[in-house]
Amino acid sequence: MAAPEIQLTEQQRYWLEQVQTCEASGKTLAQYAADQGDAKALYAGKRSLVKKGILPRTRTAHFRRVQVTGATLGGEWRIQLPNGVTVIFAGSVDTPTLTRVLSTAAVLD
C-alpha cells in the first residue's frame, strides 16, 4: 500500500523551495534568513513544513552521553565526541565558548 501523497499549498511549496535553497547554499538557516531579510517568515514557513511532516525535525539533543575515563593532569581537558573528534584544552572556559566549540566539532566528519 503506497503512502498517501501530501498536498502542499502554494505558500508551503514556496517555503520548501526556500529551505532547500538554503541547504544547497551551505549556509545556516539564520545566515540565509538574514540575507533574505525576513527571518521570522522563513522560520514560520519551515516550522509549518515540519509540523506537516514534510521536513524532519532538526533540533539537536542538548545532552550527550559521556564516559569519564580518568583524571587529567595540570587542568587539561580532553573531550572525545561520538564522531571521533577530540577537543583538548587547558584551564577554564566559559559556557558559551565551550558550547560553540563542541557544537562545531560535533558536526565535523
Side-chain angles (χ1 to χ4, degrees):
M1 183 173 181
E5 186 176 319
I6 299 174
Q7 297 295 318
L8 298 177
T9 67
E10 186 175 328
Q11 185 177 28
Q12 289 169 330
R13 282 192 301 276
Y14 171 80
W15 290 119
L16 180 58
E17 182 179 315
Q18 292 299 308
V19 170
Q20 290 170 336
T21 301
C22 170
E23 290 173 353
S25 74
K27 295 180 181 179
T28 65
L29 196 60
Q31 292 167 329
Y32 184 81
D35 291 347
Q36 299 302 311
D38 195 357
K40 186 176 180 179
L42 180 58
Y43 280 100
K46 182 179 179 189
R47 188 171 40 254
S48 74
L49 293 169
V50 169
K51 284 182 181 178
K52 192 165 180 128
I54 302 299
L55 293 174
R57 295 195 183 279
T58 55
R59 282 201 179 150
T60 57
H62 293 281
F63 297 98
R64 303 268 184 188
R65 182 178 302 266
V66 299
Q67 179 179 357
V68 178
T69 58
T72 60
L73 300 174
E76 183 179 86
W77 289 81
R78 290 175 176 262
I79 302 170
Q80 184 163 5
L81 301 172
N83 63 354
V85 173
T86 301
V87 176
I88 304 169
F89 63 95
S92 63
V93 64
D94 61 284
T95 301
T97 301
L98 182 58
T99 301
R100 188 169 43 256
V101 168
L102 293 177
S103 296
T104 302
V107 297
L108 297 174
D109 289 331

